């Protein structure tokens, strides 16, 4: 009776817990999961950067102004379209509001230094110059940014300027904490982008219009060991162990904003906090969410991309079968104490038992599904051909793949030779008996 009563109380507690503003993922299997922290920010999200699992959210789908977080998409579009080593000359009087590099008309500077100035110092003038360089005009560039956002899976992101400023008479940039997390997770897979946003400080050489410029990153989680706040009874610095980027923001309409990326071991977490009351509280919120995430969850990699997970039979081809694997890692977010390697398995689901050649490498042929001990699906990735099977020769029509032809010929030749030997031996024996 005692055990049954305990189970009833546990179920009621979980139901009550899920009705408040934070949410613990249904896949959590920890015996005891900590409650998420109280936050200052209006909107927030904690996401596993690898799996996309949402580990915590607070108004994460509410449309909000992202301020200078806008510059993440600016940077990505620039990396796609401009040569970082290109020297350019500023052809207009750039933006002077907010954080700026104090660029001047006629100044010659590299695209690289403009990008670093935009992402490290959050320079609004650099963002404007880059937008016009990459798009030809601001409207075209913003369309490019919005297209890039959609590629990452953002659903509620519409940007009308390249830097996050809100000039009178222009519609504000709009996004959500969820969209920012999705975009940021994708952005951090770009190694050049990741290198840029992990830079704690930079020095830009003197130009024809300016002395040497020195700036520290506006992301204080990268470097600030002196500023501390009290958290769980401990004086905690703003510099966060494992933080690798990425971008801060502030405006009167957006409040203080931050999207950060941190990794510990194989677990990489994205935090987004929007409309914090001041600069430091946004970092406090990010640190609290990171600690909650790393304390309670981990990313389990069941299979790395390119690993052979199975075979697909091929008819009329150069190969009798092709190796199967996943283009992306097959990974799941699980509770930190969950023994995933012992309690999960990969199931292969083929679209067809056999397929006809030709089959190109990268062709989707089914799914690789990670399931737990109860058969519950934890993760799924497309199963692709890891090699190419070309159209086979004449013998492939009767089930002999090109790769098996040498063996087939050898077997036929051997069999034919044996027949000849047997016939000759019989003839010799017959002559001997005569």
């Amino acid at each position: 009776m005692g055990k049954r009563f305990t189970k009833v109380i546990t179920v009621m507690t979980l139901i009550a817990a899920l009705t408040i503003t934070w949410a613990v993922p249904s896949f959590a299997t920890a015996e005891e999961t900590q409650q998420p922290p109280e936050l200052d920010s209006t909107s927030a999200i904690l996401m596993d950067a690898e799996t996309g699992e949402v580990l915590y959210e607070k108004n994460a789908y509410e449309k909000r102004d992202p301020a200078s977080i806008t510059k993440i998409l600016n940077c990505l579009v620039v990396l796609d379209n401009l040569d970082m080593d290109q020297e350019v000359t500023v052809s207009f009087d750039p933006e002077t509001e907010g954080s700026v590099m104090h660029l001047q008309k006629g100044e010659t500077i590299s695209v690289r230094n403009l990008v670093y100035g935009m992402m490290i110092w959050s320079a609004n003038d650099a963002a404007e110059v880059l937008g016009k360089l990459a798009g030809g005009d601001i409207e075209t560039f913003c369309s490019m940014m919005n297209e890039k956002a959609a590629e990452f899976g953002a659903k509620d992101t519409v940007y009308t300027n390249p830097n996050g400023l809100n000039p009178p008479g222009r519609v504000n940039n709009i996004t959500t904490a969820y969209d920012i997390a999705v975009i940021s997770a994708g952005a951090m897979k770009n190694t050049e982008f990741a290198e840029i946003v992990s830079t704690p400080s930079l020095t830009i050489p003197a130009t024809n219009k300016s002395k040497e410029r020195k700036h520290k990153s506006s992301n204080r989680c990268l470097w600030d060991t002196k500023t501390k706040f009290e958290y769980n009874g401990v004086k905690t610095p703003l510099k966060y162990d494992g933080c690798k980027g990425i971008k801060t923001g502030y405006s009167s309409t957006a409040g203080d904003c931050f999207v950060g990326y941190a990794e510990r071991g194989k677990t990489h977490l994205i935090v987004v906090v929007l409309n914090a009351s001041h600069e430091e509280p946004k970092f406090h919120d990010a640190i609290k969410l990171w600690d909650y995430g790393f304390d309670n969850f981990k990313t389990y990699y069941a299979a790395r991309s390119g690993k052979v997970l199975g075979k697909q039979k091929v008819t009329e081809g150069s190969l009798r079968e092709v190796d199967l694997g996943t283009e992306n890692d097959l990974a799941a977010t699980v509770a930190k104490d969950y023994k995933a390697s012992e309690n999960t398995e990969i199931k292969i689901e083929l679209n067809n038992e056999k397929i006809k050649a030709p089959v190109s490498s990268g062709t989707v042929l089914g799914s690789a599904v990670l399931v737990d001990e109860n058969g519950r699906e934890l993760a799924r990735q497309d199963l692709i051909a890891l090699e190419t099977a070309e159209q086979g020769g004449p013998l492939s029509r009767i089930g002999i793949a090109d790769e098996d032809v040498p063996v087939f010929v050898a077997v036929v030749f051997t069999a034919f030779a044996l027949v000849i030997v047997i016939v000759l031996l019989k003839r010799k024996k017959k002559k001997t008996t005569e």
Side-chain angles (χ1 to χ4, degrees):
M1 182 68 178
K3 289 183 178 179
R4 186 175 181 182
F5 178 77
T6 301
K7 288 182 178 179
V8 171
I9 292 298
T10 300
V11 171
M12 291 177 66
T13 301
L14 287 172
I15 292 173
L18 292 172
T19 61
I20 61 179
T21 58
W22 54 268
V24 177
S26 61
F27 53 80
T29 56
E31 293 181 2
E32 183 178 348
T33 302
Q34 299 174 8
Q35 291 190 6
E38 293 292 328
L39 300 181
D40 172 81
S41 305
T42 300
S43 297
I45 196 168
L46 172 68
M47 177 182 287
D48 185 321
E50 177 61 38
T51 67
E53 291 286 357
V54 176
L55 309 179
Y56 167 90
E57 68 91 13
K58 175 185 177 184
N59 303 320
Y61 306 94
E62 180 178 284
K63 294 181 180 180
R64 303 200 62 82
D65 182 342
S68 284
I69 288 175
T70 297
K71 292 163 183 159
I72 292 173
L73 281 172
N74 184 317
C75 182
L76 291 168
V77 173
V78 166
L79 290 178
D80 285 344
N81 292 277
L82 295 179
D83 178 357
M84 289 284 277
D85 294 322
Q86 178 185 355
E87 293 284 330
V88 299
T89 299
V90 180
S91 61
F92 60 94
D93 292 317
E95 181 63 61
T96 59
E97 183 180 347
S99 297
V100 291
M101 292 173 60
H102 302 288
L103 295 168
Q104 300 180 51
K105 184 177 180 180
E107 182 170 359
T108 299
I109 189 170
S110 71
V111 170
R112 183 180 306 278
N113 285 330
L114 288 171
V115 168
Y116 272 82
M118 173 180 70
M119 297 305 291
I120 306 308
W121 184 240
S122 199
N124 293 319
D125 48 357
E128 183 184 21
V129 171
L130 288 168
K132 290 185 177 181
L133 283 171
D137 58 73
I138 295 301
E139 184 177 356
T140 299
F141 184 73
C142 288
S143 294
M144 296 164 71
M145 292 170 68
N146 294 332
E147 288 173 8
K148 192 72 176 177
E151 288 176 16
F152 285 118
K155 301 183 184 301
D156 297 299
T157 297
V158 180
Y159 288 168
T160 60
N161 64 63
N163 48 27
L165 291 174
N166 299 311
R170 186 178 293 175
V171 178
N172 294 347
N173 290 349
I174 293 295
T175 189
T176 66
Y178 175 82
D179 276 8
I180 292 171
V182 168
I183 293 166
S184 300
M188 291 301 287
K189 295 183 187 301
N190 181 317
T191 54
E192 190 168 20
F193 177 91
E195 181 180 351
I196 293 166
V197 297
S198 66
T199 304
S201 62
L202 78 154
T203 298
I204 296 176
T207 70
N208 61 321
K209 293 281 188 176
S210 172
K211 295 180 181 179
E212 180 181 81
R213 297 172 169 100
K214 291 186 177 183
H215 297 298
K216 271 194 172 182
S217 173
S218 59
N219 176 5
R220 293 164 67 181
C221 288
L222 287 173
W223 57 267
D224 192 347
T225 57
K226 293 182 179 180
T227 306
K228 298 181 180 181
F229 72 105
E230 187 151 335
Y231 178 45
N232 289 333
V234 178
K235 289 289 185 179
T236 303
L238 294 187
K239 185 180 187 299
Y240 192 78
D241 181 28
C243 177
K244 303 297 181 182
I246 50 181
K247 190 71 191 73
T248 61
Y250 170 78
S251 74
S252 59
T253 54
D256 269 282
C257 306
F258 177 55
V259 50
Y261 177 99
E263 58 184 47
R264 290 187 180 174
K266 296 179 180 179
T267 303
H268 304 168
L269 300 180
I270 294 279
V271 294
V272 181
V273 291
L274 302 179
N275 194 35
S277 61
H278 202 265
E279 182 187 15
E280 288 186 20
K282 69 185 174 190
F283 296 123
H284 301 172
D285 282 357
I287 289 168
K288 291 175 184 179
L289 285 175
W290 270 326
D291 277 356
Y292 167 72
F294 288 122
D295 287 347
N296 290 281
F297 305 99
K298 65 183 178 183
T299 309
Y300 171 62
Y301 291 84
R304 292 293 187 173
S305 61
K307 179 183 177 181
V308 177
L309 299 178
K311 305 280 187 180
Q312 169 75 70
K313 292 181 180 179
V314 178
T315 62
E316 301 185 24
S318 58
L319 304 176
R320 80 180 77 91
E321 58 187 13
V322 291
D323 290 337
L324 298 174
T326 56
E327 184 176 3
N328 301 307
D329 294 334
L330 180 63
T333 312
V334 297
K336 194 170 184 179
D337 63 0
Y338 181 61
K339 297 179 180 179
S341 60
E342 299 176 13
N343 295 307
T344 62
E345 64 173 322
I346 300 172
K347 290 189 174 182
I348 301 301
E349 297 179 354
L350 295 177
N351 295 337
N352 298 287
E353 186 177 340
K354 292 182 179 181
I355 56 174
K356 187 177 179 180
V359 180
S360 299
S361 176
T363 301
V364 177
L365 299 174
S367 299
V369 185
L370 181 67
V371 297
D372 66 10
E373 64 273 26
N374 299 312
R376 179 176 54 174
E377 182 177 316
L378 300 179
R380 176 183 291 265
Q381 286 286 346
D382 285 341
L383 203 59
I384 62 171
L386 296 178
E387 51 191 337
T388 295
E390 304 287 355
Q391 178 67 54
L395 290 177
S396 69
R397 309 298 188 275
I398 59 172
I400 302 171
D402 288 2
E403 65 175 338
D404 294 328
V405 168
V407 175
F408 174 76
V409 170
V411 169
V412 170
F413 178 81
T414 302
F416 183 69
L418 284 173
V419 169
I420 292 175
V421 169
I422 292 171
V423 169
L424 292 174
L425 287 174
K426 283 184 177 181
R427 287 182 179 179
K428 184 176 180 182
K429 184 176 180 181
K430 184 177 180 181
K431 287 181 179 180
T432 302
T433 55
E434 290 177 349

